[in-house]
């Protein structure tokens, strides 16, 4: 059986810049040429403006599947953000696996580093503002095309044009698409037992475990 993998189109970094009013954001990331150093906090040269909601151990690296780009292009024809990777502020622009195939706790080789899927991305107003539209955030919530966050298990370096190979899958029943729909997409009422399980799942990012605890019915 072929080992699952993703192909890396680009690795991207960014620094905070004026975004809206007094708000700053590092969402406008640019591709890096050559190797990128990967530390516990993510890619060297990458930074976040809002440390309350971005960055940290569970959000060290953001991946957005380029597999979704054609779908988005059909809904946003001619939008210049889809002319290159980085439309959603991702650090990794990849192809080959999406939220339906990527599971919580999956470990991948990223160059010489090892990274682990911690949760999906909960969209916020910044995506609507970046696209100049009012429906991007809502569309992501509805469709589950959210992107993935990784924590870094082993530091190293990587570069574009290579593969991310799956090393270990411990929770095959918990694809990120399922978790996102339960905790963000409103599906918690239809499967309370699953939400209770997520509340006590150590591999799930603390922020989403807390959300699961709030959504889980008593009993």
């Amino acid at each position: 059986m072929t080992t699952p993998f993703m192909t890396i189109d680009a690795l991207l970094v960014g620094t905070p810049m004026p975004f809206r009013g007094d708000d700053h954001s590092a969402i406008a990331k640019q591709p890096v040429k050559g190797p990128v150093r990967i530390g516990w906090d993510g890619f060297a040269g990458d930074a976040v403006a809002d440390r309350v909601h971005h960055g940290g151990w569970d959000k060290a690296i953001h991946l957005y599947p380029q597999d979704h780009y054609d779908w988005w292009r059909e809904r946003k024809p001619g939008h210049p953000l889809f002319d290159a990777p980085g439309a959603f502020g991702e650090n990794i622009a990849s192809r080959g696996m999406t939220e339906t195939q990527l599971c919580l706790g999956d470990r991948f080789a990223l160059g010489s580093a090892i990274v682990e899927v911690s949760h999906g991305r909960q969209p916020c107003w910044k995506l609507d503002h970046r696209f100049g539209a009012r429906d991007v955030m809502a569309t992501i919530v509805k469709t589950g095309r959210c992107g993935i966050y990784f924590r870094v298990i082993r530091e190293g370096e990587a570069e574009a044009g290579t593969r991310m190979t799956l090393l270990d899958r411990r929770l095959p029943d918990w694809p990120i698409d399922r978790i996102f729909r339960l905790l963000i997409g409103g599906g918690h009422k239809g499967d309370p037992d699953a939400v209770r399980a997520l509340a006590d799942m150590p591999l799930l990012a603390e922020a989403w475990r807390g959300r699961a605890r709030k959504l889980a019915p008593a009993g």
Side-chain angles (χ1 to χ4, degrees), residues 72-88:
W72 281 105
R73 288 186 185 106
E74 291 180 1
R75 283 147 185 81
K76 304 289 181 187
H79 202 296
L81 284 176
F82 295 119
D83 291 342
F88 296 89

Side-chain angles (χ1 to χ4, degrees), residues 14-30 48-49:
T15 55
M17 301 176 64
F19 188 64
R20 185 186 72 176
D22 294 331
D23 291 307
H24 285 64
S25 175
I27 197 170
K29 301 185 187 300
Q30 298 298 317
V48 298

Side-chain angles (χ1 to χ4, degrees), residues 86-161:
F88 296 89
E90 60 263 35
N91 297 114
I92 302 175
S94 66
R95 296 181 188 275
M97 300 176 73
T98 69
E99 297 85 354
T100 60
Q101 292 101 31
L102 290 158
C103 298
L104 178 66
D106 280 0
R107 287 191 175 185
F108 283 86
L110 177 56
S112 58
I114 295 176
V115 296
E116 180 179 87
V117 175
S118 61
H119 63 318
R121 176 185 182 171
Q122 182 173 352
C124 68
W125 65 268
K126 290 182 178 179
L127 287 173
D128 281 358
H129 185 72
R130 176 161 169 77
F131 281 90
R134 296 183 178 182
D135 62 344
V136 176
M137 181 174 70
T139 300
I140 291 173
V141 171
K142 182 178 180 180
T143 66
R145 291 175 168 84
C146 59
I148 307 292
Y149 276 120
F150 291 99
R151 56 177 71 95
V152 177
I153 303 300
R154 186 178 75 192
E155 296 182 307
E157 65 178 28
E159 60 183 311

Side-chain angles (χ1 to χ4, degrees), residues 32 36 70 84 101 107 124 136 153 155 162 166 170 176 185:
V32 177
V36 178
D70 284 345
Q101 292 101 31
R107 287 191 175 185
C124 68
V136 176
I153 303 300
E155 296 182 307
T162 59
L166 181 67
R170 287 166 284 178
I176 292 300

